Every structure is written in structure tokens, then in C-alpha cells.
Amino acid sequence: MVQINKMLIELAEKRKTTRKFTQEKPSLKKILDVLEIARHAPSGSNKQPWRFIVINDSKVKALIREASEKGEKKFYKTISKKRRLAYKAMGNTWQKPMLEKAPILVAVISDTKAPNYRPSVWLSIGYIILSIEAAGLSTVTYTPSDPDIVRKALEIPDFFQIETILPIGFSADPKRKKPRKSLNELVFKNQWNKLLAKQ
Amino acid sequence: MVQINKMLIELAEKRKTTRKFTQEKPSLKKILDVLEIARHAPSGSNKQPWRFIVINDSKVKALIREASEKGEKKFYKTISKKRRLAYKAMGNTWQKPMLEKAPILVAVISDTKAPNYRPSVWLSIGYIILSIEAAGLSTVTYTPSDPDIVRKALEIPDFFQIETILPIGFSADPKRKKPRKSLNELVFKNQWNKLLAKQ
């Protein structure tokens, strides 16, 4: 018997955030195969409040980059120099070249009329992230600082909301996966702050 | 080569929401193995804003049920009779016996001081849901109508937030998985409402 649980953990462990991609274009068929998993996710009252725009047109990518960077510039003006430098050390600035350079973007959009739409859509993004890795592709969950600017640029009605833009392609990002906390620090037993590990 | 992408989709497709469980208790080791996957999820600024309380004590389960139902009763008073009947048809009432009858509960808690804490934690819940299925277990993502009542009952500090309570066990729920929309209805190409399927 194949140990699906072991394979799943290994997949999640191997997966890392990618902001640089090779020029190779994944086919639209491959992107649809990746998104197929989202259909099967649970959602509040089974409303399936997720929509996707698959973008491979350079003009639309440039538009999304421009709209996103407009929001980022506004955001970076509101934060302290210290925080800005901390972000820079992590490789984050207001500039989002990946939105133009990734071969494919997938905009994940939520229907704000559905109950619990944000949790539902983000749970499905968890599915998609693993599915992207399983397909040998890479991504980063870019959440625009001002999603409304991007929504308007894409002429999406205002009761929908941009949750993330996923730049997708084959990784050319040399960065290593950031370290993670041990489960021993994160899991309590029967009450807050009573570590399970210490039992 | 094992086709991990195919196995992953099959896992998501097979997985369904479960509100009734057998009496068999999964070991705490098995629950920790299931949660292991969450550590590897991406999160805003890598803050890993998730915490977990694994609950197998009946008194704590009863406390959580009571606190949750208090919030549900309040919520059900605010909705129309029509909506209440629609919920009932889906098997939802203010009563949450699964919180007491499931052998294990896992409370998933977010650190509200972290950037983008809700999306990050719900993405990790997507990972966990698949991991529960891969381990042969079942769950439902129960989101309390008033999570603050539950947080207070568990004496959790107020800058943390209950995102979901996962009742976990072996399924004894005969309900079938609810139907899902086809990807053809959900995926657009390069612009809003321009179906990819129609290309």
C-alpha cells in the first residue's frame, strides 16, 4: 500500500515559496489540472465561493503588476523605516516583478455574499498550493496590500474580492525554505499553554 | 514513479465532511502526525501564527460544546425562519453534539498580531484537512458563530482567536459528499466572466 500520509507530509515539507521563474510556460491544461483540486474543498453551506482567472496575456499581467504596486507603494508609506528594512531583508519591497515575469498568474477571487467566504477560499488555496507542488510547479501566495485597486483594474464586480494572486511557473529561485517552529512549541493539550510535548 | 498529483486530487475528491464518529479513539500520536503538516505551510512574514489545542478530556469537550451552543443560539435568533429551515435541511441547527461525541477535538487558534493571520491559518487548515483524510480519519471544519465565547471558556488571551474546532475521529456519517460545481463554471481566462472552457 502506498503511504499517502507520508507522501503528503513530504510534499508539504519540500514545498517552498518561489518568486523567480524560468521562461518555460506550463500549459493551460496543466494549470487547470492544478486547480481541479479546489472544487473538492469544503466551504460554508457548500457555496463554493471561489472563482479563478488564469492569466497568460502579458498586457493583463502588466496591468496587474501596476495595480498591485500602486497599493504596495501606498502601504510602504504607512510603515516605519525599521519595518521597511525588515521586509527588505526578507526580499519584500513595493516592487512585484514576479507578477509580470511569471509565465502564468492565477487570481483567486471570493464571493463575499457567501457565509465564511474568506476561510473557505483560503482553505481551498491550501489545497491548490499543495497541488501546484505536486505538479512540479512553484508559486508564492501574493496578497495585494490594496486588493480593491487590483479588483477594479480587472473590472470585477464589487461583491467579489481578490484574495491572492498566484504567480505560477517552474522555479528559478535559489532561496531556501525558511525555518519552521517545532510542533512541540505549537501544540497544547486540553488547555491553553499546557504543552502536549511535556506530558 | 508514483503520481503524487493524481493521488492528491483523489484524496481531496474522496474527502467529505463528517459530523458522526465511531467510538474508536485515534491515538494522540496519530493526531500529532496529522498536525505535523501544518508546520510546513507558508504564512505572512513566516510568522507561523497557528496554535493547536488537542482535546481528549470529556469535561473540556463538554465545556466547548456548551460555549459553542451559547453562540449558536444567539446566532439562530438573528436569522429568518426561511434561512433556519434551509440550514436544518443541510443538517445544521444550534445543537453541536459532535463537539462532545467526537473522540478528539482540535481547536485551531490564530495569533492576531501576525500579518495576514486569518488567510495564513486557513491555508494551513486546508493542509490539515487533507492530512486528516490521508490518515483515514474524518472531520468537519466547525466555525463557532461566536468564537469569543469559546476563547474565553478556554482561557485563551484576547489577541488570539479561535478559527475552527475540528472534531476528529473515524467516520460513522452515512451522508454523501455534496455535489460540486464544474471547473468550467469557475475558471475565467485573462478577464472576469470570460470562461476558459469556451475558448
Side-chain angles (χ1 to χ4, degrees), chain B residues 110-138:
Chain B
S110 59
D111 177 352
T112 65
K113 288 182 177 172
N116 276 327
Y117 63 93
R118 275 205 107 187
S120 300
V121 171
W122 278 94
L123 187 153
S124 85
I125 293 168
Y127 275 41
I128 293 168
I129 293 293
L130 289 171
S131 184
I132 286 172
E133 181 70 23
L137 295 165
S138 289

Side-chain angles (χ1 to χ4, degrees), chain A residues 43 77 85 97 129 183 199:
Chain A
S43 58
K77 273 183 194 156
L85 291 173
I129 293 293
L183 217 54
Q199 306 293 307

Side-chain angles (χ1 to χ4, degrees), chain A residues 3 7 53 69 96 103 106 115 155 159 164 176 178 192:
Chain A
Q3 287 195 296
M7 286 178 63
I53 311 182
E69 289 185 342
K96 303 295 170 193
V106 172
E155 299 176 26
F159 59 91
T164 189
R176 295 208 297 190
K178 286 180 196 149
W192 182 252

Side-chain angles (χ1 to χ4, degrees), chain A residues 53-67:
Chain A
I53 311 182
V54 176
I55 297 137
N56 66 352
D57 180 315
S58 338
K59 279 182 201 153
V60 183
K61 285 196 274 178
L63 185 81
I64 290 176
R65 177 180 180 180
E66 196 196 338

Side-chain angles (χ1 to χ4, degrees), chain A residues 117-180:
Chain A
Y117 63 92
R118 274 207 108 186
S120 300
V121 172
W122 278 93
L123 187 153
S124 84
I125 294 169
Y127 275 40
I128 293 168
I129 293 293
L130 289 171
S131 183
I132 287 172
E133 182 69 22
L137 294 165
S138 289
T139 195
V140 49
T141 48
Y142 167 63
T143 50
S145 287
D146 189 339
D148 246 23
I149 302 182
V150 185
R151 180 183 62 72
K152 284 173 191 162
L154 288 169
E155 299 176 26
I156 299 172
D158 65 4
F159 59 91
F160 286 93
Q161 190 169 289
I162 303 258
E163 296 293 344
T164 189
I165 312 273
L166 301 172
I168 304 178
F170 297 92
S171 179
D173 197 332
K175 271 205 213 166
R176 295 208 297 190
K177 183 160 175 150
K178 286 180 196 149
R180 296 296 199 265

Side-chain angles (χ1 to χ4, degrees), chain A residues 18-149:
Chain A
T18 294
R19 290 188 181 82
K20 287 176 187 161
F21 303 91
T22 69
Q23 289 301 304
E24 191 183 345
K25 284 183 194 205
S27 67
L28 286 187
K29 164 80 173 60
K30 192 160 185 162
I31 300 298
L32 281 174
D33 285 349
V34 158
L35 293 177
E36 168 70 14
I37 199 167
R39 288 179 57 218
H40 306 295
S43 58
S45 301
N46 193 34
K47 290 287 184 194
Q48 308 162 63
W50 36 70
R51 301 291 182 278
F52 307 96
I53 311 182
V54 176
I55 297 137
N56 66 352
D57 180 315
S58 338
K59 279 182 201 153
V60 183
K61 285 196 274 178
L63 185 81
I64 290 176
R65 177 180 180 180
E66 196 196 338
S68 300
E69 289 185 342
K70 210 176 274 177
E72 296 306 331
K73 274 186 213 163
K74 256 175 48 188
F75 170 73
Y76 274 81
K77 273 183 194 156
T78 68
I79 64 177
S80 65
K81 192 178 172 186
K82 191 183 158 194
R83 202 162 150 213
R84 201 171 62 241
L85 291 173
Y87 278 140
K88 202 176 175 179
M90 286 191 296
N92 289 328
T93 71
W94 63 266
Q95 288 170 303
K96 303 295 170 193
M98 68 214 181
L99 296 175
E100 214 171 340
K101 291 185 179 163
I104 303 272
L105 303 181
V106 172
V108 184
I109 294 145
S110 59
D111 177 351
T112 65
K113 289 183 177 168
N116 277 326
Y117 63 92
R118 274 207 108 186
S120 300
V121 172
W122 278 93
L123 187 153
S124 84
I125 294 169
Y127 275 40
I128 293 168
I129 293 293
L130 289 171
S131 183
I132 287 172
E133 182 69 22
L137 294 165
S138 289
T139 195
V140 49
T141 48
Y142 167 63
T143 50
S145 287
D146 189 339
D148 246 23
I149 302 182

Side-chain angles (χ1 to χ4, degrees), chain B residues 40-139:
Chain B
H40 304 295
S43 57
S45 302
N46 194 33
K47 290 289 184 194
Q48 306 161 65
W50 36 71
R51 302 290 182 279
F52 308 97
I53 311 183
V54 176
I55 297 137
N56 64 352
D57 180 314
S58 342
K59 279 183 200 151
V60 183
K61 284 194 275 177
L63 185 80
I64 290 176
R65 177 181 179 177
E66 195 196 339
S68 300
E69 289 184 341
K70 209 176 276 176
E72 296 306 330
K73 274 185 214 163
K74 254 175 49 186
F75 169 73
Y76 274 82
K77 271 182 197 159
T78 68
I79 65 177
S80 66
K81 193 179 171 188
K82 192 184 158 194
R83 203 164 150 210
R84 199 170 66 243
L85 291 173
Y87 279 139
K88 202 174 176 182
M90 288 190 296
N92 290 327
T93 71
W94 64 265
Q95 287 169 303
K96 303 294 169 194
M98 68 213 179
L99 297 175
E100 212 170 343
K101 291 185 179 163
I104 302 272
L105 302 181
V106 172
V108 183
I109 294 146
S110 59
D111 177 352
T112 65
K113 288 182 177 172
N116 276 327
Y117 63 93
R118 275 205 107 187
S120 300
V121 171
W122 278 94
L123 187 153
S124 85
I125 293 168
Y127 275 41
I128 293 168
I129 293 293
L130 289 171
S131 184
I132 286 172
E133 181 70 23
L137 295 165
S138 289
T139 194

